[in-house]
Amino acid sequence: MNICTLCMKEIKSITFATYLLENPICNKCLKELNPRFEKIKINEIEGEAIYEYNDLIKTTLYRFKGLYDIVLAPVFINRFAFYLKLKYRGYIILPAPSFLESDKERGFNHVVDIFKILNMPVLQAFYKKTSYKQSSLPSKEREKVKDKIGIKIDLNLKGKKVLLVDDLLTTGSTIKTLIKLIKPYEPKSIKVLVMAHTTLKNN
Amino acid sequence: MGSFFVCKNCGNSDARYIGIRNGIKYCRRCLEFSGKKVKYKINKPINISPLLNYELTNEQKEISIKITKNFINKKNTLIYAVCGAGKTELVYDVISYALKKGLQIGFTIPRREVVIELAHRIKSTFPKAKVISVYGEQTDILEGNIIVLTTHQLFRYRNFFDLLIFDEIDAFPYKGNELLNIMFEKSIRGNYVIMSATPSKELINKIKKNGLVLTLFVRFHFQEIPVPKIYYGLIILKFIITLYRTRKYIKNHKPVLIFAPTIGIATNLFKILSKFIKNGGLVHSKVKNNSTIINDFKNTKLKYLVTTSVLERGITIKGLQVIIFNADHDIYNKETLVQIAGRVGRKKDEPTGDITYLITRITPAILASINDIKEKNEYLHSMYEGN
């Protein structure tokens, strides 16, 4: 019998997905995760957020990012992988940056790993100049993020389609900065995909 | 093949709970129990007796001495006592014995809110001892003379406690959690004392084999435990009874607790009730400022509270009256109902009160809970007749 990757209880009601997916979750957890595919717009760039931030996403992200439970990486989007692959065919994933040192300590990059299951080309074009945690900053400070993110210079993105991805979207300042940085390279189209949309209030 | 893996922390070898991180296997089952751990050492002996501003009853004294004797004989104890019997006071004697020997003392309860309150209570009883509380948000200080902690923090103390007191063993989230049970057993170095008002038969049998079961079926003020009253009715009638009774109690300056089975029902009930009666509050696990609302209720700023089973245990308020809305709901088993009914009449000055069950059908749990309370009351009568 399979167990749910999130609540670790045995999956009682077996569905198609529990057979097909490598890390299945039970229906109760799926309902609690509550996928909504909310449309978002940042600086005229269209995008979507799969979930709205809630308690289960918070604890799961903590387990994944804080306790290094790498098995959890695909659970957020594996159910929608097929749909997302179709929708973003031909796109290159550009993950939001994380500080190299913390990636080393963790042994993986969490944003890359969440979207790894899509099997799309990934280009780590951005990097953080200094270590900072966006979630620990007040909203005014968050605006300054543009000085802290850098982009690799020798990129050939002209005429290509790029998909900017991140795990959490709060004020949108990180994504805004990424858009600003990527525009000079003249990609054919830019889209945004984030795992969960949060508001500062419930963070 | 040949890659057999057993978790050092929880003993898990089930492949379904094992993940691989950078080529190294790790156990996912006990991942949340990772963090700073404490090594055993012997404390400085402290010579103090418990400071109480009231006298224990003869029954309480008798049982206290039995517990201490049993602990000296290196045996485990289960205290089976009714709600409001004064269970916490029973272990003061054995705690002061262990303090004198410099042993490591732990006091563990599943619920966080109770840990905070209990730590204050123990601190005022043993002012010279270093009493610390350890729970989710407070894990900086881990060592002291008496460690009050949630069951979730037991993993930090492996093979550590010479004396571990475990209150409310049948409470959520400990109940039915295999992992916490393992952590509990691994944290014991010496012996444990378990306290419960509603122990399961398996637990009683388990302790009987290799320890002592002590019963205390009398409240410390020697009054009967109030027996619940049942009212039948459909939803509107139930609501009218709730409204009428709450008003009556408030007129008589009595605080009222209204239990509802689910968060949804509690929210809706409160929405309607608050239109008729002011000065109410709503408490459930998703409300963020829970503790301030409960404090307001204790200070009689709020006259009544609508709540879910979060408040089923560990709350003592003078003159409290209880209404259980939909007591026939599936989430109410015998233990929960006995615990909720046990909130009433816990103070010496006001040993009586009303418990009202509002139901549309009768369930086995309702009958069992009423029988349980009546049984304990009969015990009280037989004790008087014996004298």
Side-chain angles (χ1 to χ4, degrees):
Chain A
M1 187 89 96
N2 271 335
I3 58 160
C4 169
T5 318
L6 286 189
C7 65
M8 306 229 210
K9 285 178 189 137
E10 282 187 355
I11 298 177
K12 278 177 189 139
S13 59
I14 293 165
T15 59
F16 214 51
T18 50
Y19 270 120
L20 289 177
L21 300 177
E22 206 176 317
N23 297 316
I25 59 172
C26 64
N27 287 343
K28 202 182 150 226
C29 287
L30 181 71
K31 205 177 162 192
E32 220 179 312
L33 278 177
N34 194 10
R36 308 172 83 137
F37 291 95
E38 182 196 352
K39 291 266 174 298
I40 46 174
K41 210 163 199 185
I42 301 166
N43 286 2
E44 302 300 308
I45 301 288
E46 277 181 15
E48 65 183 332
I50 301 172
Y51 300 101
E52 195 176 336
Y53 195 65
N54 58 33
D55 283 349
L56 185 59
I57 287 181
K58 187 178 170 186
T59 51
T60 311
L61 265 182
Y62 171 70
R63 265 188 81 103
F64 174 49
K65 282 161 76 172
L67 301 174
Y68 309 160
D69 192 1
I70 199 164
V71 176
L72 289 175
V75 297
F76 294 110
I77 58 169
N78 58 4
R79 274 189 190 236
F80 321 111
F82 187 70
Y83 159 75
L84 291 172
K85 248 192 264 183
L86 270 183
K87 185 166 182 185
Y88 297 110
R89 208 166 50 177
Y91 277 80
I92 301 173
I93 288 182
L94 298 193
S98 66
F99 197 53
L100 208 63
E101 301 294 318
S102 43
D103 275 1
K104 259 185 197 161
E105 196 190 313
R106 222 184 266 137
F108 57 89
N109 179 313
H110 63 275
V111 184
V112 176
D113 270 39
I114 288 177
F115 294 95
K116 204 185 218 166
I117 194 157
L118 296 179
N119 270 335
M120 281 158 61
V122 177
L123 182 64
Q124 278 180 293
F126 307 104
Y127 61 91
K128 271 185 192 177
K129 289 174 184 166
T130 50
S131 172
Y132 69 93
K133 242 182 158 181
Q134 188 78 336
S135 58
S136 60
L137 300 174
S139 72
K140 265 190 186 170
E141 288 283 314
R142 285 172 182 237
E143 303 288 327
K144 289 182 190 162
V145 66
K146 52 179 176 277
D147 308 326
K148 290 168 185 164
I149 293 179
I151 186 163
K152 288 170 189 162
I153 305 160
D154 49 342
L155 291 173
N156 182 16
L157 290 174
K158 200 167 182 181
K160 284 182 181 159
K161 298 192 271 189
V162 296
L163 180 63
L164 304 171
V165 300
D166 201 354
D167 52 350
L168 292 179
L169 171 78
T170 309
T171 55
S173 14
T174 304
I175 295 287
K176 272 179 205 162
T177 312
L178 299 190
I179 292 171
K180 215 174 267 172
L181 285 171
I182 204 77
K183 269 201 172 151
Y185 293 87
E186 298 172 353
K188 191 168 135 201
S189 107
I190 305 174
K191 280 207 170 152
V192 176
L193 177 65
V194 292
M195 205 263 298
H197 185 192
T198 99
T199 47
L200 273 176
K201 214 169 76 189
N202 61 21
N203 200 336
Chain B
M1 289 303 286
S3 52
F4 192 65
F5 176 87
V6 180
C7 175
K8 279 181 199 161
N9 214 2
C10 68
N12 161 47
S13 62
D14 190 336
R16 295 179 302 181
Y17 296 110
I18 291 165
I20 298 172
R21 185 200 302 127
N22 298 334
I24 299 162
K25 289 189 176 178
Y26 68 98
C27 178
R28 296 189 62 227
R29 195 172 73 152
C30 58
L31 201 65
E32 55 189 309
F33 299 107
S34 52
K36 214 166 118 195
K37 297 205 168 91
V38 187
K39 272 204 176 134
Y40 182 81
K41 66 163 201 264
I42 291 177
N43 276 335
K44 258 190 198 164
I46 304 175
N47 211 342
I48 44 168
S49 41
L51 187 77
L52 287 173
N53 45 16
Y54 49 87
E55 186 85 2
L56 293 186
T57 66
N58 288 337
E59 280 74 18
Q60 281 177 315
K61 275 180 196 162
E62 211 174 282
I63 288 182
S64 305
I65 293 165
K66 273 187 195 166
I67 296 167
T68 314
K69 267 188 190 163
N70 206 32
F71 178 69
I72 297 170
N73 292 336
K74 296 199 184 307
K75 276 187 176 171
N76 302 325
T77 316
L78 167 70
I79 307 168
Y80 179 10
V82 290
C83 299
K87 280 193 288 283
T88 317
E89 285 85 354
L90 297 176
V91 292
Y92 287 163
D93 194 52
V94 72
I95 289 179
S96 66
Y97 170 81
L99 280 174
K100 272 171 206 159
K101 296 269 171 191
L103 300 175
Q104 289 291 357
I105 306 161
F107 202 131
T108 185
I109 304 165
R111 293 187 188 221
R112 205 199 71 190
E113 297 85 6
V114 191
V115 164
I116 303 166
E117 208 178 300
L118 190 76
H120 281 297
R121 212 165 135 193
I122 292 179
K123 180 76 203 165
S124 61
T125 317
F126 297 99
K128 266 196 234 163
K130 190 184 173 196
V131 182
I132 60 155
S133 52
V134 181
Y135 49 89
E137 290 87 24
Q138 204 292 92
T139 54
D140 300 334
I141 308 161
L142 295 172
E143 285 175 271
N145 296 118
I146 303 170
I147 299 160
V148 187
L149 71 168
T150 56
T151 45
H152 267 84
Q153 300 297 327
L154 281 171
F155 76 92
R156 296 179 191 276
Y157 303 90
R158 167 157 299 197
N159 192 11
F160 188 84
F161 292 115
D162 299 297
L163 169 63
L164 182 59
I165 298 152
F166 195 146
D167 199 358
E168 299 182 354
I169 192 163
D170 48 1
F172 181 80
Y174 179 81
K175 191 185 180 185
N177 191 327
E178 194 191 338
L179 200 54
L180 286 178
N181 191 11
I182 294 170
M183 298 299 168
F184 165 58
E185 276 166 9
K186 288 204 169 181
S187 68
I188 302 159
R189 189 187 183 90
N191 293 96
Y192 55 82
V193 177
I194 293 176
M195 303 195 280
S196 175
T198 46
S200 65
K201 275 188 185 144
E202 296 95 59
L203 182 68
I204 296 177
N205 289 336
K206 189 185 146 198
I207 307 276
K208 262 187 185 164
K209 264 183 214 160
N210 194 12
L212 193 62
V213 178
L214 297 169
T215 52
L216 182 58
F217 288 160
V218 199
R219 286 192 162 176
F220 67 93
H221 48 53
F222 293 105
Q223 299 285 337
E224 281 190 11
I225 306 165
V227 179
K229 290 188 189 100
I230 296 176
Y231 289 87
Y232 290 95
L234 291 172
I235 180 97
I236 296 173
L237 191 62
K238 277 194 261 184
F239 176 73
I240 293 171
I241 295 174
T242 313
L243 185 64
Y244 171 75
R245 296 226 140 203
T246 313
R247 267 201 176 148
K248 197 180 102 191
Y249 296 141
I250 291 174
K251 227 180 220 173
N252 297 335
H253 304 287
K254 302 255 164 99
V256 193
L257 259 185
I258 302 161
F259 284 88
T262 63
I263 292 178
I265 296 176
T267 318
N268 286 336
L269 185 65
F270 178 66
K271 244 186 223 165
I272 308 172
L273 264 185
S274 57
K275 293 213 169 99
F276 293 94
I277 314 168
K278 278 177 194 167
N279 293 328
L282 174 68
V283 172
H284 53 70
S285 54
K286 297 271 161 70
V287 173
K288 287 214 170 120
N289 53 346
N290 260 340
S291 47
T292 50
I293 296 178
I294 295 168
N295 268 338
D296 281 355
F297 184 57
K298 280 182 179 168
N299 304 334
T300 65
K301 247 188 224 166
L302 295 176
K303 305 288 184 223
Y304 70 96
L305 272 192
V306 181
T307 176
T308 57
S309 45
V310 282
L311 286 185
E312 93 190 27
R313 290 153 198 272
I315 185 165
T316 301
I317 292 166
K318 196 180 147 190
L320 187 74
Q321 315 288 323
V322 166
I323 297 169
I324 308 182
F325 196 81
N326 284 359
D328 50 357
H329 197 275
D330 290 338
I331 73 147
Y332 290 125
N333 53 19
K334 180 196 143 196
E335 284 79 18
T336 320
L337 288 173
V338 169
Q339 289 285 358
I340 293 176
R343 299 304 104 207
V344 176
R346 291 166 74 96
K347 291 272 176 177
K348 206 174 183 175
D349 345 357
E350 280 193 58
T352 55
D354 286 349
I355 307 147
T356 313
Y357 289 178
L358 299 174
I359 56 173
T360 43
R361 66 187 169 116
I362 211 146
T363 59
I366 291 174
L367 291 178
S369 68
I370 293 177
N371 281 339
D372 190 271
I373 293 168
K374 280 185 178 163
E375 242 170 58
K376 308 281 155 67
N377 284 343
E378 264 164 35
Y379 181 84
L380 177 77
H381 290 301
S382 70
M383 209 175 75
Y384 278 126
E385 279 157 21
N387 286 346

